[in-house]
């Protein structure tokens, strides 16, 4: 990629970030990258305004501990949409911490997955979830 192409790419990501910022409904907002798909979601998230936290899902389990000085206190597990034999983890999305989530994917994960995750997020007090698909041609968002 040339420097000029990279500048255009970053400009497009900033534009997407501003568009998603306009769709935010709540202050306590979490943006999620998926496994190694981190750079694009993190960059876009940085353009979405204040009070944005960013995490990525992981394939590695971490021991949980609710002691105050321990960093990981909550885990949500799910089966990877592309390969249901692979378990993924989302950490520290405890009840009441966030009101809104923007979850970025390279490809659409599928309605069954989206519905299952919506149910899990609602149980954690999340009021609104956006599945943002970044397929290289168009970025789209499903709520």
């Amino acid at each position: 990629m040339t420097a000029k192409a990279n500048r255009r790419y970053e400009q497009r990501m900033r534009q997407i970030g501003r568009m998603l910022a306009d769709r935010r409904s709540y202050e306590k907002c979490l943006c999620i990258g998926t496994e190694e798909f981190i750079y694009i979601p993190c960059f876009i998230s940085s353009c979405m305004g204040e009070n944005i936290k960013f995490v990525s899902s992981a394939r590695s389990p971490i021991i949980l501990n609710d002691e105050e000085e321990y960093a990981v206190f909550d885990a949500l597990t799910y089966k990877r949409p592309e390969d249901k034999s692979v378990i993924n983890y989302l950490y520290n999305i405890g009840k009441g911490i966030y009101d809104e989530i923007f979850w970025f994917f390279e490809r659409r994960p599928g309605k069954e997955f989206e519905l299952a995750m919506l149910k899990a997020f609602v149980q954690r007090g999340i009021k609104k979830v956006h599945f943002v698909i970044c397929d290289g041609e168009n970025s789209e968002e499903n709520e």
Side-chain angles (χ1 to χ4, degrees):
M1 178 183 301
T2 66
K4 185 176 180 179
N6 190 50
R7 284 190 298 275
R8 283 194 312 267
Y9 193 61
E10 288 182 349
Q11 181 180 12
R12 177 68 178 133
M13 289 191 292
R14 284 185 189 91
Q15 182 182 35
I16 292 168
R18 289 188 298 270
M19 177 198 65
L20 294 176
D22 289 341
R23 295 183 182 193
R24 281 181 64 187
S25 301
Y26 299 95
E27 282 295 311
K28 297 186 301 183
C29 185
L30 177 67
C31 291
I32 303 172
T34 305
E35 293 182 7
E36 288 80 23
F37 182 56
I38 298 172
Y39 177 74
I40 292 170
C42 188
F43 191 103
I44 292 171
S45 300
S46 74
C47 301
M48 291 176 58
E50 300 298 319
N51 297 317
I52 296 280
K53 301 290 187 206
F54 182 84
V55 299
S56 183
S57 64
R59 292 175 59 176
S60 302
I62 298 174
I63 295 173
L64 306 178
N65 188 322
D66 60 1
E67 293 179 20
E68 188 175 320
E69 63 276 349
Y70 195 78
V72 183
F73 59 86
D74 177 70
L76 173 61
T77 61
Y78 66 92
K79 294 180 181 179
R80 186 177 185 209
E82 302 88 356
D83 181 353
K84 294 189 181 5
S85 69
V86 177
I87 302 297
N88 281 92
Y89 304 86
L90 286 171
Y91 294 106
N92 294 346
I93 305 178
K95 191 166 181 69
I97 296 175
Y98 302 105
D99 295 319
E100 187 167 18
I101 289 178
F102 288 81
W103 196 348
F104 295 82
F105 291 88
E106 292 178 274
R107 291 171 288 290
R108 179 167 303 290
K111 283 292 181 191
E112 181 182 330
F113 174 84
E114 291 174 11
L115 291 172
M117 295 311 298
L118 284 172
K119 182 179 178 182
F121 289 140
V122 166
Q123 291 173 345
R124 285 174 160 69
I126 310 292
K127 298 172 184 151
K128 193 168 191 179
V129 178
H130 309 261
F131 295 95
V132 183
I133 313 307
C134 305
D135 64 6
E137 293 182 26
N138 296 304
S139 285
E140 72 179 71
E141 174 214 2
N142 260 356
E143 295 184 56

